[in-house]
Amino acid sequence: MARVRKTVTIRDVAEDAGVSLQTVSRVVNGGPNVRPQVRDKVRASIERLGYVPSLAAQRMSGSRSYIILAINDRERTLADWRERRGTDWVDQMLLGGILTCSKHGYRMMVELVDTHSDHVERELGAALSALQPDGVILTPPHSENRLITELLAGRSIPFARIGSDAAGPGIPLTMGDEGAAHLATTRLAALGHTRIAMIAGPSSYSLSGWRIEGWKRALAERGLPQEGLLEVGDFGYESGTRAARALLDRNPDLTAIIASSDQMALAALEVARDRGLMVPRDLSLISFDNTPIVRFSQPPLTAIDQPIAETVSRAVEQLIARAPPKEGGAKVIEVAAGLVERSSTAPPPAARA
């Protein structure tokens, strides 16, 4: 008969390290008044025995709950899941958040909240009361929803605002969206493109405006036109189809498009095919997001790689540290994005002639 493995308790750790239960508890919970040598000895016993602190015990031992709560957009997330598209944003958020939380003895939980709901305060308030998180991570568009930020501030719950640089409570973090759009536009201009269009995201996201500014700035630096080269979508495939058709109808000489999401970029790719245009021979495409699907499109898409995991990891670190905000509000933390070049970009036909 298989032997049942005995659960390692805090008492086992205390006996192994030759210290009191209170000392082990202080080490586990990051408490004060423990000599460095004793702390190292207790940690060695914890590692040797494989002790995993009980979350309930941790919560009872002090003022912390050891939970970081991440709030994501309910409507968009569920729509992607139901269509079996997955949500790379959520995957990367969990990757960065869970690993960083685990390193500090925390747990990360995710709640889906509809930012447009009349009941947002009630829904979020119930989650906060039930979980009592030590910190909350807000993703767009929740990060700029004043009902949510004021509720958290009113309860004195530390929170991080991803995709927001506005003044106010909370820790603002961005992923360098303006610089990323500038980088994408500059790369296309360097290839010889002079008619570079953008399919932007909805105005309810500040990052949409930042990307437009980066695109405009890069065009202005090179004396390239902007008129008639901007369309707005909602990050979804259908809106990308409408925007790409409008741009190509209005600009027969268009040679490049930057799309503010992978779904809109894939839509633009399909519109180009329908019109007999080959990518990248006739039309170059650059996408934002760099989700796994763009590696397998034909051709694979050049994309702005958003550092979602790293940004969420930085947010978790800040919340666990509980760093007091400086006068005038917290400084914006920017985690820069990068450009991954694949096969959807090339010099325009005129430059190859």
Side-chain angles (χ1 to χ4, degrees):
M1 187 174 69
R3 179 180 296 176
V4 177
R5 185 177 179 180
K6 178 178 178 290
T7 301
V8 178
T9 68
I10 191 172
R11 187 176 299 278
D12 296 323
V13 175
E15 290 177 356
D16 185 76
V19 298
S20 67
L21 294 174
Q22 290 80 3
T23 299
V24 176
S25 179
R26 282 197 293 272
V27 172
V28 168
N29 295 297
N33 305 322
V34 181
R35 295 195 308 274
Q37 306 95 304
V38 175
R39 190 179 299 276
D40 291 343
K41 189 176 182 181
V42 171
R43 285 174 174 168
S45 291
I46 288 173
E47 185 173 349
R48 181 168 54 254
L49 297 175
Y51 172 64
V52 178
S54 160
L55 188 59
Q58 284 182 291
R59 296 183 71 166
M60 291 174 63
S61 66
S63 60
R64 297 199 178 200
S65 68
Y66 293 87
I67 291 175
I68 299 294
L69 178 64
I71 306 295
N72 211 52
D73 183 60
R74 177 184 177 85
E75 183 179 353
R76 184 174 298 279
T77 302
L78 290 181
D80 286 345
W81 283 344
R82 284 170 178 150
E83 293 178 26
R84 305 191 74 170
R85 283 200 300 252
T87 51
D88 190 63
W89 171 277
V90 175
D91 291 345
Q92 292 299 307
M93 179 179 71
L94 292 174
L95 172 64
I98 287 176
L99 290 180
T100 307
C101 280
S102 178
K103 184 173 69 173
H104 294 281
Y106 276 68
R107 298 293 183 269
M108 185 175 189
M109 302 189 71
V110 178
E111 285 283 328
L112 301 181
V113 174
D114 186 356
T115 195
H116 305 295
S117 171
D118 294 335
H119 309 298
V120 63
E121 289 179 277
R122 186 180 67 191
E123 292 178 9
L124 182 55
L128 295 174
S129 296
L131 299 173
Q132 298 179 3
D134 289 330
V136 174
I137 296 174
L138 301 177
T139 60
H142 298 316
S143 48
E144 297 184 299
N145 185 321
R146 290 189 61 185
L147 284 175
I148 293 176
T149 58
E150 289 177 359
L151 174 62
L152 292 170
R155 295 196 180 195
S156 299
I157 299 174
F159 63 97
R161 297 182 278 116
I162 294 179
S164 172
D165 65 354
I171 304 165
L173 301 97
T174 69
M175 290 184 279
D177 291 275
E178 180 178 347
H182 183 275
L183 174 64
T185 310
T186 299
R187 177 56 185 150
L188 289 169
L191 288 171
H193 294 274
T194 58
R195 301 284 289 173
I196 304 170
M198 168 167 268
I199 303 176
S203 60
S204 56
Y205 291 72
S206 285
L207 58 85
S208 297
W210 300 336
R211 293 175 185 178
I212 292 172
E213 289 305 311
W215 168 74
K216 285 183 175 180
R217 180 162 60 88
L219 294 178
E221 288 170 355
R222 287 155 184 77
L224 299 179
Q226 304 172 10
E227 187 68 29
L229 293 173
L230 176 65
E231 284 290 325
V232 174
D234 62 7
F235 297 131
Y237 189 93
E238 291 75 14
S239 72
T241 299
R242 292 191 296 270
R245 286 172 178 167
L247 287 170
L248 290 168
D249 286 344
R250 197 162 58 239
N251 304 280
D253 57 347
L254 186 64
T255 62
I257 295 176
I258 300 169
S260 203
S261 75
D262 285 342
Q263 289 295 325
M264 294 195 296
L266 291 170
L269 177 62
E270 189 62 27
V271 169
R273 285 178 180 152
D274 289 345
R275 297 187 177 212
L277 301 175
M278 291 189 64
V279 175
R281 187 193 68 185
D282 305 309
L283 182 71
S284 285
L285 287 176
I286 293 182
S287 174
F288 267 80
D289 291 341
N290 196 34
T291 56
I293 192 172
V294 301
R295 299 200 301 268
F296 304 110
S297 60
Q298 291 298 324
L301 296 183
T302 295
I304 292 293
D305 186 40
Q306 292 188 283
I308 300 166
E310 183 181 351
T311 304
V312 174
S313 176
R314 293 280 295 275
V316 169
E317 294 277 6
Q318 291 287 315
L319 292 171
I320 290 176
R322 289 184 171 180
K326 296 180 180 179
E327 187 175 346
K331 181 181 178 181
V332 177
I333 298 171
E334 180 174 299
V335 184
L339 179 68
V340 179
E341 294 206 50
R342 297 193 180 93
S343 305
S344 65
T345 47
R352 294 195 299 268

